[in-house]
Amino acid sequence: MKFTVVKQSRKSRARAGLLETARGVIETPVFMPVGTLGTVKSLTPALVAEQGAQIILSNTYHLFLRPGADLIARAGGLHKFMSWDRPILTDSGGFQVFSLARLRKITADGVEFQSHLDGGASHKFTPELVVDIQRKLGSDIMMPLDICSAPDSPKAKVAEDLRLTLEWEKRAGEHFAAAAGAPDSAQALFGIAQGGMYEDLRREAAQCLAELNFSGYAIGGVSVGEPEEDLYRIAEYTAGLLPPDKPRYLMGVGLPQNLLRCVPCGIDMFDAVLPTRLARHNSFFTPAGQENLLNARYAEDFAPLAADCDCYACRNFSRAYIRHLAQAREILAIVLLTIHNIRYLLNLMRAMRSQILNDEL
Ligand SMILES: [Zn+2]
């Protein structure tokens, strides 16, 4: 994997880049639609590609539990299994272990948990196993096992979580490097900077990770319920400490207002489940903000969802029609709103990239 900054903005820390992977070149800054279970909910992979998605995100924890990494490996890897030939980033499952699973026991070796599926069976993630799972999935960008501290954790606990996370990341890096020479191995491993809302811990994380020389660096532990200003403060502060020649990925962040604030901080990659989740709750993006189609004022609104949007939904249907579908609980409402929300974010990123290239951002 090779990352090139093609333009550094003179007016902010924003940059336009190219991330070259074995499955294609990704233009950054980039938004990655989320396909947690190996599907971007309600869309075929062809439709996801048609919206302009260059890379999607999928989830190690969920795929490990169901249908299982070995089954996906026997199917030829996740790309083939789900029929998506562009890059895939898989997250480590750490976030899900700490948010979904029960009875978590953290030891120096890893984390034991009871899944939220299969009758609460016990599992254990170690840094090495999580790399191995992602190898089986065949993801283009892997993430190491980390501990996502609760937003209300005291500083001493966040610091303890960070130290263990950094040890795990070192082990993940060594395990990854040991098998990196394999002929089928074009995969990359990123590091994740944790440290909660504490700038000194974020600095420690960034410094330690830079020494481990990952292919890219993520900022984790945000978008976990903290005030929005804390998210921006930590994203900007941490991004400024990460190596400038590697991609920077802000995990779990991707609403339009977030992208507008965080691209100028020098973030290159974003993901969020919200665009697809909001669509399933009849919400859609407009330049004026997020709207809900069930609002009575849209009953006879024959305008498109967003005036300047070029998505299939906006080119062909009115708010009144999609609202009618939503009220009748027709599946097409979800499909059209998902197409719109994803296209809206991808268009926003393309526009921002073009502004960076022209020194207008
Ligand atoms: Zn649209």
Side-chain angles (χ1 to χ4, degrees):
M1 173 168 292
K2 188 179 159 211
F3 181 66
T4 313
V5 176
V6 293
K7 174 82 180 184
Q8 173 63 58
S9 167
R10 274 177 288 184
K11 296 179 178 173
S12 71
R13 283 215 221 108
R15 68 254 192 98
L18 292 174
L19 183 57
E20 294 171 48
T21 77
R23 286 191 176 84
V25 180
I26 299 162
E27 295 185 338
T28 65
V30 65
F31 174 76
M32 304 181 281
V34 176
T36 302
L37 304 177
T39 167
V40 176
K41 289 191 197 305
S42 86
L43 300 189
T44 63
L47 278 174
V48 177
E50 198 176 288
Q51 306 322 312
Q54 308 177 72
I55 173 172
I56 60 168
L57 182 143
S58 201
N59 188 272
T60 298
Y61 169 87
H62 288 284
L63 295 176
F64 164 80
L65 291 178
R66 185 173 62 190
D70 288 320
L71 184 145
I72 292 175
R74 288 195 295 277
L78 183 57
H79 292 80
K80 190 167 178 214
F81 190 48
M82 69 176 288
S83 193
W84 171 260
D85 60 7
R86 297 182 185 184
I88 298 176
L89 181 150
T90 42
D91 66 8
S92 69
F95 179 77
Q96 284 73 28
V97 166
F98 293 99
S99 61
L100 286 178
R102 293 183 295 270
L103 281 181
R104 300 170 294 263
K105 186 178 166 212
I106 302 174
T107 64
D109 191 42
V111 55
E112 293 166 35
F113 59 94
Q114 281 190 332
S115 83
H116 72 295
L117 295 176
D118 59 29
S122 290
H123 302 279
K124 181 177 177 184
F125 274 174
T126 65
E128 292 81 8
L129 177 66
V130 164
V131 167
D132 289 340
I133 296 169
Q134 293 176 89
R135 277 201 189 287
K136 287 176 185 171
L137 299 176
S139 51
D140 300 275
I141 300 175
M142 308 189 221
M143 305 302 295
L145 183 64
D146 63 337
I147 301 173
C148 184
S149 306
D152 55 354
S153 290
K155 186 173 181 183
K157 176 73 170 77
V158 178
E160 185 189 317
D161 290 346
L162 173 61
R163 310 269 145 75
L164 193 51
T165 291
L166 292 170
E167 278 175 37
W168 286 357
E169 295 195 69
K170 186 165 184 284
R171 279 167 53 190
E174 286 165 358
H175 189 69
F176 172 77
D184 61 341
S185 173
Q187 295 174 291
L189 178 68
F190 279 21
I192 305 175
Q194 289 286 351
M197 300 301 135
Y198 304 101
E199 294 178 1
D200 55 336
L201 296 180
R202 291 284 174 176
R203 173 174 291 277
E204 180 184 336
Q207 284 168 347
C208 287
L209 289 175
E211 285 168 23
L212 297 177
N213 198 24
F214 287 102
S215 296
Y217 296 91
I219 300 169
V222 291
S223 200
V224 290
E226 76 281 5
E228 200 161 299
E229 282 313 311
D230 278 340
L231 157 63
Y232 296 137
R233 177 175 60 82
I234 290 300
E236 180 170 15
Y237 181 79
T238 312
L241 301 171
L242 295 173
D245 59 338
K246 298 285 176 69
R248 303 174 185 138
Y249 162 31
L250 186 59
M251 301 180 83
V253 175
L255 288 175
Q257 63 269 32
N258 304 146
L259 303 177
L260 291 167
R261 282 286 294 269
C262 295
V263 167
C265 300
I267 306 287
D268 307 298
M269 303 167 72
F270 301 85
D271 80 282
V273 293
L274 271 174
T276 45
R277 184 177 293 159
L278 288 171
R280 297 197 297 283
H281 292 90
N282 308 305
S283 285
F284 61 102
F285 298 134
T286 79
Q290 210 171 285
E291 308 281 347
N292 193 297
L293 208 48
L294 295 186
N295 192 309
R297 73 172 180 273
Y298 298 124
E300 286 202 44
D301 186 339
F302 302 116
L305 295 171
D308 295 331
C309 182
D310 65 351
C311 84
Y312 172 78
C314 289
R315 280 187 284 114
N316 292 284
F317 306 98
S318 64
R319 291 169 168 180
Y321 176 67
I322 303 173
R323 180 176 190 274
H324 154 68
L325 295 180
Q327 285 200 308
R329 298 188 179 275
E330 283 289 337
I331 295 164
L332 184 57
I334 296 173
V335 174
L336 293 175
L337 288 166
T338 304
I339 285 176
H340 169 76
N341 283 353
I342 287 188
R343 179 90 180 168
Y344 190 90
L345 291 177
L346 295 172
N347 282 348
L348 179 64
M349 292 306 257
R350 261 197 299 276
M352 290 180 86
R353 188 172 197 274
S354 152
Q355 289 173 345
I356 296 168
L357 290 172
N358 296 318
D359 259 327
E360 292 162 355
L361 189 76

